[in-house]
């Protein structure tokens, strides 16, 4: 399984085929606990006991935008230092809780994507990255990929229903103080290592 990684060098592992490969490093620290290593801007985090996408009863977190007019109703991972990579894959689970839209922005460069969390789910907009969404039960599984040199900082935004498209960083609205989205299991992988375990 992927693990949150803080070492000075990347680790290797022997895969089931007996070959030595790069381990699947999760570069988002404590990614299932937004109350820990994530930074919050113009919102609050509430721990909520709910059934997670893996079927276990676990503590998920609810991002609730504050009743403040801002373009920064978001949580940020690895915000203290951007990560330099030659490609990455980010995936996370989300579920609506009052709002049905969520945005991603690479806070290091001009990449973003946004998702609609109703019906089968859909990608609303994406720039300089490839985004996908799949509905699984009550949750939506979202992925974002880029296969070129970049820095990466993970910003996830709660968006109100009036959002239509564009960079979440440029979208301003006033939250109602109670609506938001569930976010669970954000995993950020380097995709430039070669021989990396899925």
């Amino acid at each position: 399984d992927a693990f949150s990684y803080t070492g000075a060098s990347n680790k290797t592992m022997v895969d089931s085929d007996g070959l030595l490969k790069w381990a699947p490093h999760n570069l988002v620290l404590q990614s299932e606990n937004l109350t820990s290593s994530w930074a919050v801007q113009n919102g609050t985090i509430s721990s909520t006991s709910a059934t997670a996408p893996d079927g276990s009863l676990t503590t998920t977190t609810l991002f609730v935008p504050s009743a403040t007019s801002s373009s920064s109703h978001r949580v940020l991972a690895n915000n203290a230092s951007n990560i330099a990579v030659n490609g990455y894959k980010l995936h996370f689970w989300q579920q609506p809780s009052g709002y049905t839209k969520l945005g991603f922005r690479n806070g290091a460069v001009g990449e973003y994507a946004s998702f609609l969390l109703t019906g089968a789910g859909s990608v609303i907009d994406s720039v300089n990255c490839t985004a996908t969404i799949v509905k699984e039960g009550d949750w939506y599984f979202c992925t974002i990929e880029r296969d070129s040199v970049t820095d990466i900082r993970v910003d996830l935004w709660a968006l109100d229903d009036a959002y239509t498209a564009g960079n979440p960083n440029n979208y301003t609205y006033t939250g109602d103080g109670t609506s938001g989205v569930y976010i669970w299991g954000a995993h950020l992988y380097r995709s430039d290592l070669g021989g990396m375990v899925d």
Side-chain angles (χ1 to χ4, degrees):
D1 290 336
F3 56 92
S4 295
Y5 182 68
T6 58
S9 61
N10 290 300
K11 302 295 183 183
T12 57
M13 62 177 283
V14 177
D15 200 7
S16 58
D17 60 9
L19 298 178
L20 187 66
K21 299 179 182 179
W22 294 108
H25 306 89
N26 181 11
L27 301 178
V28 176
L29 297 180
Q30 299 177 321
S31 61
E32 273 133 37
N33 182 10
L34 302 189
T35 63
S36 181
S37 60
W38 293 69
V40 184
Q41 290 188 344
N42 298 309
T44 58
I45 296 293
S46 300
S47 295
T48 306
S49 182
T51 302
D54 64 0
S56 64
L57 187 64
T58 187
T59 300
T60 60
T61 53
L62 174 63
F63 175 53
V64 182
S66 62
T68 303
S69 179
S70 175
S71 62
S72 298
H73 302 298
R74 62 181 173 172
V75 288
L76 302 84
N78 64 287
N79 62 302
S81 59
N82 301 326
I83 301 169
V85 294
N86 291 324
Y88 69 85
K89 180 174 183 178
L90 169 69
H91 69 239
F92 52 89
W93 298 86
Q94 54 187 350
Q95 187 182 111
S97 180
Y99 291 148
T100 60
K101 297 174 183 177
L102 182 138
F104 156 79
R105 181 181 74 121
N106 179 354
V109 295
E111 301 162 8
Y112 64 84
S114 52
F115 303 91
L116 177 63
L117 312 180
T118 59
S122 61
V123 175
I124 300 171
D125 196 7
S126 64
V127 169
N128 295 327
C129 60
T130 301
T132 63
I133 183 171
V134 177
K135 189 175 191 304
E136 296 190 15
D138 294 331
W139 290 85
Y140 293 86
F141 183 69
C142 302
T143 62
I144 298 156
E145 297 183 71
R146 179 170 174 173
D147 293 323
S148 57
V149 177
T150 188
D151 288 343
I152 176 71
R153 188 188 78 195
V154 178
D155 300 2
L156 298 177
W157 308 66
L159 301 169
D160 72 355
D161 293 340
Y163 169 88
T164 56
N167 191 332
N169 190 55
N170 300 330
Y171 179 69
T172 297
Y173 72 97
T174 300
D176 62 16
T178 59
S179 297
V181 291
Y182 290 101
I183 301 171
W184 187 86
H187 291 154
L188 175 65
Y189 304 100
R190 289 179 58 171
S191 59
D192 61 335
L193 296 175
M196 188 168 169
V197 178
D198 292 336

